[in-house]
Amino acid sequence: AVDGREAYLTCGCGVVFPVDAVGGTVRWAVRYQRDGKPNAMQRQMYGNQGPGLLELEGWDDDVVIPFGRDLVVMASDPDLLFALDRRTGKFRWSSPRTSPVGTVASYCVGVHGRGLIVAGKNVVRSIDMLAEGKLMWEKEIEDSFGRGCVTEDSVYIPVKDSILQLDRAKGRELTQVGVAL
């Protein structure tokens, strides 16, 4: 993501950093904890030598979102989203990817105002970026096999053979329209 003179980067390798987009200088770099399990099959192939690759537990894509003084990070290798101070790289807050009832968000749908909308196969939720990653609302859904989008007033999510329209502010179901292929 680019904002002003800064380009913010993460690549799913346990590090986030901003680069001065004009001069190319790295402003700071922050390492974060990568989450995953060792790949047992890969270790067996190489005679149980070395640490092996991790089966990562994180977001589908590496996404960074400049938001006010924060840089919100959704990387493919930690099992949470977190925010850093854009000027210093200091940790600010985090929010889990998995809810207390076990629903897992896997991708960023979009941002509108202070709300970060994330979704997964069986959930859509809104995270309040001004309130240190607090959950604004969560809606459990049936199987979603596609990616949704955010508009001025709604969130649209593909669910089975239909499109579900949710109120962006409250997460209420507004309508669900079937799709005939």
Side-chain angles (χ1 to χ4, degrees):
V2 175
D3 190 31
R5 286 182 53 129
E6 302 288 321
Y8 299 94
L9 303 144
T10 189
C11 55
C13 292
V15 69
V16 178
F17 56 96
V19 174
D20 181 295
V22 175
T25 306
V26 175
R27 300 277 192 205
W28 47 259
V30 171
R31 286 203 161 279
Y32 56 83
Q33 178 65 44
R34 300 177 83 203
D35 296 320
K37 297 175 255 176
N39 183 318
M41 177 73 83
Q42 191 248 358
R43 284 187 51 86
Q44 286 177 348
M45 287 175 26
Y46 294 102
N48 290 324
Q49 300 297 314
L53 297 175
L54 287 177
E55 291 182 26
L56 298 173
E57 297 174 359
W59 299 90
D60 286 352
D61 304 303
D62 294 303
V63 176
V64 289
I65 302 166
F67 183 78
R69 70 182 244 195
D70 291 340
L71 179 67
V72 178
V73 179
M74 301 169 65
S76 58
D77 53 347
D79 197 24
L80 51 77
L81 70 93
F82 60 94
L84 303 172
D85 185 294
R86 285 173 54 181
R87 294 167 305 213
T88 65
K90 182 179 174 187
F91 178 83
R92 301 250 308 125
W93 55 263
S94 68
S95 183
R97 201 171 65 91
T98 305
S99 76
V101 296
T103 56
V104 179
S106 55
Y107 72 94
C108 176
V109 178
V111 174
H112 194 282
R114 64 193 292 164
L116 169 62
I117 312 295
V118 297
K121 182 179 177 187
N122 298 105
V123 69
V124 182
R125 68 175 68 106
S126 180
I127 307 295
D128 190 338
M129 294 185 292
L130 284 180
E132 297 185 341
K134 301 288 187 250
L135 182 66
M136 291 169 67
W137 55 262
E138 179 173 274
K139 171 82 172 158
E140 288 190 48
I141 58 174
E142 292 187 61
D143 293 341
S144 175
F145 298 111
R147 299 268 176 135
C149 68
V150 179
T151 65
E152 184 65 30
D153 60 351
S154 298
V155 176
Y156 294 91
I157 301 288
V159 176
K160 290 193 174 191
D161 60 351
S162 65
I163 303 296
L164 176 63
Q165 180 186 10
L166 301 173
D167 174 66
R168 187 189 51 77
K170 303 287 184 193
R172 285 181 282 119
E173 183 174 327
L174 299 174
T175 189
Q176 191 162 355
V177 178
V179 176
L181 300 175

